[in-house]
Amino acid sequence: MIINFLKKFISIKSVTPNDRGCQFLLKNFLKRIGFEFFIFKKNLVTHSIFLYFKKRNKFFDYSFLGHTDVVSENIKSNWIFNPFKASFFKGYIYGRGTSDMKLSISSFIYSFKYLRKKKNFIFIFSSNEEGDSKNGSLLISKLLKKKNFFIKNMIVGEPTSEKNIFDTLKNGRRGSLNVKIKVLGKQGHTAYPEKSKNAIHIFCKKFSKLKYFKKNFDFQISKIICKNRTINIIPGILFFYLNVRYYNIFSLYIFFYKINYIFNIKNVSIISNSKPYFKKSFILIKKIKKILLNYNIISKCFKYLGGTSDGKYFVDISKNIVEMGFKNKTSHKYNEKVSIKDFFKSVLIYNDIMI
């Protein structure tokens, strides 16, 4: 049964923010095992909340947070198999979204099917985690907060593992800031460089100064735009997009101080900012690590590592938040895959956590 479910789930081309029926597939599965559900859509984004009550109140012992959207497959010919068809080959399941995070979702709900249901559970899904997150999980968190719901333990199914399944847990994330920066020069003819100022040369010289400040934050250029229509013009203006990963508000202030010093803050536009979050989650982490030892898995925990996740939206209504999922080695890459052995092991582990 679960294999058929996986085939259907992965075959849905749910490129962010389009869910394309993924959450209705989850509804059909969870409804049969006693869940109440609420599915709604805002713009192109689909959200769903699945509730299982042992005692009808606003307190939930366990929650699973996931997203049904995936990133694009990009160039289809670079895939060994069809990215939107579950392919089983040499002990792995191939397909877009296998590691991030359709198999985590499948594992968790399948583990729940065989659980002795003595607690309250809430499962939360959105279809805009991989995109700009607008109208995404933030809307659900606001709705739950308005209803005074509270979650004791939240599991987020992001792909956190490195070498072995669940060898890495996360109880927080760095912040992610995206900025657009303008670099001004003076346009001219390539034959008369002394009469102009090349914006590209200015950019290279100034950007090299930023490398001395990497101790406080990490950054990557994601796009450079220089609109020259002909090849004999020295560009007078350049735009570049920078993604900055920062650890706290203090390090963000340091970044803006350096940007102002090098590029002038007037030329900097903020596109988006995802703030860092951190939850101690000591009791839940201790329980998970103890369970993992039964499977000969030694796990470490990091409060700041990797990209962002929707866990940040539930900090105020959750006592504990731990992110744990499959290996991230092939996430967002061609030929994304998950070990079949790891998948069935994760079903047992998730089940043990919820007991």
Side-chain angles (χ1 to χ4, degrees):
M1 179 182 174
I2 189 61
I3 298 300
N4 290 332
F5 179 87
L6 292 177
K7 287 179 178 179
K8 289 179 184 177
F9 203 12
I10 294 170
S11 70
I12 300 173
K13 194 174 182 178
S14 54
V15 176
T16 189
N18 299 296
D19 177 76
R20 297 187 185 277
C22 283
Q23 292 174 42
F24 282 93
L25 183 67
L26 297 175
K27 181 206 77 171
N28 293 337
F29 184 94
L30 292 170
K31 185 181 178 182
R32 287 197 298 266
I33 53 178
F35 274 87
E36 300 173 19
F37 61 90
F38 176 49
I39 299 176
F40 66 101
K41 194 169 184 178
K42 181 160 185 180
N43 296 332
L44 294 173
V45 185
T46 305
H47 311 84
S48 56
I49 303 169
F50 295 91
L51 308 164
Y52 184 93
F53 292 101
K54 181 65 177 178
K55 294 181 180 179
R56 189 161 289 276
N57 54 45
K58 297 183 178 183
F59 177 85
F60 295 89
D61 299 278
Y62 283 95
S63 170
F64 182 85
L65 174 65
H67 62 86
T68 53
D69 59 322
V70 300
V71 296
S72 170
E73 76 277 25
N74 292 325
I75 304 170
K76 194 173 180 179
S77 60
N78 286 350
W79 287 76
I80 301 172
F81 305 104
N82 184 339
F84 293 103
K85 181 180 179 181
S87 300
F88 298 80
F89 182 69
K90 291 187 176 180
Y92 287 92
I93 309 172
Y94 285 80
R96 175 57 85 218
T98 48
S99 71
D100 191 10
M101 61 184 306
K102 287 186 175 180
L103 260 66
S104 286
I105 294 171
S106 304
S107 173
F108 205 90
I109 66 171
Y110 192 63
S111 69
F112 184 87
K113 183 179 179 181
Y114 299 100
L115 185 74
R116 286 187 176 182
K117 304 167 184 67
K118 296 181 179 179
K119 299 171 184 177
N120 286 358
F121 297 87
I122 179 169
F123 294 172
I124 301 163
F125 304 106
S126 173
S127 70
N128 194 18
E129 194 272 348
E130 299 290 8
D132 58 16
S133 293
K134 290 180 180 178
N135 302 312
S137 292
L138 178 60
L139 287 181
I140 302 178
S141 68
K142 286 181 177 179
L143 177 63
L144 298 183
K145 196 172 184 179
K146 189 175 180 180
K147 290 182 174 292
N148 294 317
F149 282 12
F150 187 78
I151 298 164
K152 184 178 180 181
N153 300 302
M154 173 173 276
I155 303 293
V156 186
E158 290 291 345
T160 59
S161 303
E162 298 292 334
K163 294 181 179 180
N164 300 301
I165 185 172
F166 299 147
D167 64 356
T168 304
L169 311 175
K170 296 177 184 179
N171 59 338
R173 294 280 184 150
R174 296 178 296 181
S176 177
L177 176 75
N178 288 291
V179 294
K180 179 182 178 182
I181 301 176
K182 178 170 65 176
V183 179
L184 294 171
K186 185 179 179 182
Q187 185 174 305
H189 197 294
T190 52
Y192 306 102
E194 70 279 0
K195 296 180 181 180
S196 58
K197 293 181 180 179
N198 193 316
I200 295 176
H201 295 176
I202 294 170
F203 159 73
C204 292
K205 186 177 179 180
K206 288 189 172 184
F207 188 78
S208 65
K209 295 179 181 179
L210 269 180
K211 68 182 180 182
Y212 298 111
F213 309 119
K214 274 211 165 187
K215 289 183 179 180
N216 296 307
F217 41 78
D218 299 318
F219 53 83
Q220 292 290 328
I221 296 172
S222 57
K223 187 190 293 186
I224 297 176
I225 299 174
C226 187
K227 295 182 179 179
N228 261 4
R229 293 184 179 274
T230 58
I231 60 174
N232 61 347
I233 294 177
I234 292 174
I237 187 168
L238 175 147
F239 296 93
F240 72 99
Y241 292 76
L242 195 67
N243 176 259
V244 184
R245 303 286 169 157
Y246 63 96
Y247 298 91
N248 49 53
I249 298 300
F250 178 70
S251 62
L252 189 60
Y253 288 151
I254 293 173
F255 167 75
F256 274 109
Y257 173 79
K258 302 303 180 186
I259 286 291
N260 186 36
Y261 174 73
I262 298 170
F263 291 102
N264 191 333
I265 201 70
K266 293 179 182 178
N267 297 322
V268 180
S269 303
I270 297 175
I271 299 171
S272 63
N273 181 28
S274 176
K275 295 179 182 179
Y277 88 89
F278 170 64
K279 293 289 282 188
K280 287 184 179 180
S281 309
F282 176 77
I283 295 173
L284 181 58
I285 290 170
K286 185 178 179 181
K287 178 182 180 180
I288 292 171
K289 284 187 172 183
K290 187 176 179 180
I291 289 168
L292 292 176
L293 285 175
N294 296 332
Y295 295 87
N296 298 315
I297 299 171
I298 298 174
S299 184
K300 52 186 181 293
C301 186
F302 293 96
K303 66 177 181 179
Y304 294 125
L305 192 68
T308 62
S309 87
D310 284 352
K312 60 182 175 288
Y313 297 127
F314 298 87
V315 171
D316 293 338
I317 60 170
S318 302
K319 184 177 180 180
N320 303 298
I321 300 176
V322 173
E323 300 184 19
M324 56 183 298
F326 294 108
K327 289 184 237 181
N328 52 37
K329 185 178 180 180
T330 60
S331 298
H332 292 205
K333 295 183 179 180
Y334 296 114
N335 304 312
E336 185 177 350
K337 64 182 180 180
V338 164
S339 161
I340 297 172
K341 184 179 178 181
D342 283 352
F343 173 76
F344 285 105
K345 186 184 286 187
S346 72
V347 172
L348 299 174
I349 292 170
Y350 281 144
N351 185 285
D352 288 349
I353 291 170
M354 290 187 287
I355 292 174

